[in-house]
Amino acid sequence: GSMAGSVAKVGAGIAVGLGTAAVGAGVVIANMTDDFNKSLNGLAAATGATDEKMEKLGGTIKSIYAQNFGENMEDVANSIATVKQQMGDISDKELEEVTKGALILRDTFEFDVSESMRAVNSLTKQFGISSEKAFDLLAKGAQEGLNSNGDMMDLFWEYSVQFKELGFSAEEMFNTFKVGAENGAFNLDILADGLKETNILSKDNSDKSLK
């Protein structure tokens, strides 16, 4: 009888414990659902995507977040919106990979997602490289001190077109900045601006010679 009473008490304790755990899990699930719904609403407003497209974007949010990217689902959704605004209509797979790349740069080097995407978009459009290659160059640049003045993303965004017109590749643009930094260039923007002026002057001289 004593043993039966003890078992009953233990059973009651387990039941209470499980009930408490179930309530806690329910709160977590409810919070995740609210977070997901909020992220979808924000993404829909930022992109103007159709209901059909939003269903796919919802899956992308969940996939990225499940891989431990982003502070929460809303953060992931905001990053996806930024990528879509910069890159336009890209495949769902590429959207996921590019968003993860932007979040990696942010979490590793503290680059703003919007700034990173402007640079990536410029590099891919001007030089025809993949977004993966663009992210690799930007990460390498950060590792090798090209962001010492905090303007590396602006350099790659603003001057890609100038380097392209002068016949440089993306790698050669990166190497130009690297050599400049290694040889004491205080401000890489001055170096890039000098190349920009060279490009403008070469065009002017070309136009004059044609006349």
Side-chain angles (χ1 to χ4, degrees):
S2 176
M3 185 180 294
S6 298
V7 170
K9 288 180 181 178
V10 171
I14 292 173
V16 170
L18 289 175
T20 303
V23 170
V27 171
V28 171
I29 292 170
N31 288 339
M32 287 184 66
T33 301
D34 288 343
D35 187 21
F36 180 63
N37 290 335
K38 186 185 294 184
S39 70
L40 279 182
N41 291 335
L43 186 54
T47 63
T50 62
D51 290 343
E52 181 181 354
K53 187 64 177 176
M54 283 307 304
E55 185 175 349
K56 293 181 179 179
L57 290 174
T60 302
I61 293 173
K62 291 179 180 178
S63 176
I64 293 174
Y65 187 63
Q67 297 172 65
N68 294 319
F69 290 95
E71 297 175 0
N72 49 46
M73 288 189 182
E74 189 174 5
D75 180 37
V76 172
N78 290 338
S79 300
I80 289 174
T82 300
V83 171
K84 284 189 67 63
Q85 288 163 358
Q86 290 288 340
M87 303 291 285
D89 190 21
I90 57 179
S91 69
D92 296 333
K93 181 179 180 181
E94 186 175 5
L95 177 63
E96 179 171 339
E97 293 305 313
V98 172
T99 302
K100 289 192 294 186
L103 288 171
I104 289 171
L105 277 185
R106 186 192 69 182
D107 294 343
T108 306
F109 302 108
E110 299 184 354
F111 289 125
D112 182 77
V113 170
S114 180
E115 292 179 352
S116 296
M117 288 314 307
R118 286 199 308 176
V120 168
N121 192 36
S122 185
L123 287 168
T124 56
K125 285 187 174 180
Q126 295 301 325
F127 298 108
I129 62 175
S130 67
S131 57
E132 182 181 3
K133 178 64 176 178
F135 278 121
D136 286 344
L137 284 175
L138 294 174
K140 192 176 179 182
Q143 291 168 344
E144 300 195 15
L146 301 192
N147 195 47
S148 58
N149 289 327
D151 61 353
M152 186 186 77
M153 291 301 180
D154 286 337
L155 290 173
F156 281 100
W157 165 63
E158 182 177 355
Y159 294 105
S160 288
V161 62
Q162 308 296 336
F163 277 83
K164 173 63 175 177
E165 290 181 353
L166 286 168
F168 286 74
S169 67
E171 284 277 5
E172 289 167 340
M173 179 182 184
F174 167 83
N175 288 331
T176 299
F177 287 142
K178 181 182 176 183
V179 170
E182 291 173 345
N183 286 276
F186 175 73
N187 192 330
L188 293 178
D189 185 70
I190 296 175
L191 171 64
D193 200 54
L195 283 167
K196 176 181 177 181
E197 292 302 317
T198 299
N199 186 28
I200 293 172
L201 287 172
S202 66
K203 287 181 180 179
D204 288 344
N205 291 331
S206 177
D207 290 342
K208 289 177 182 177
S209 65
L210 288 175
K211 293 177 182 179

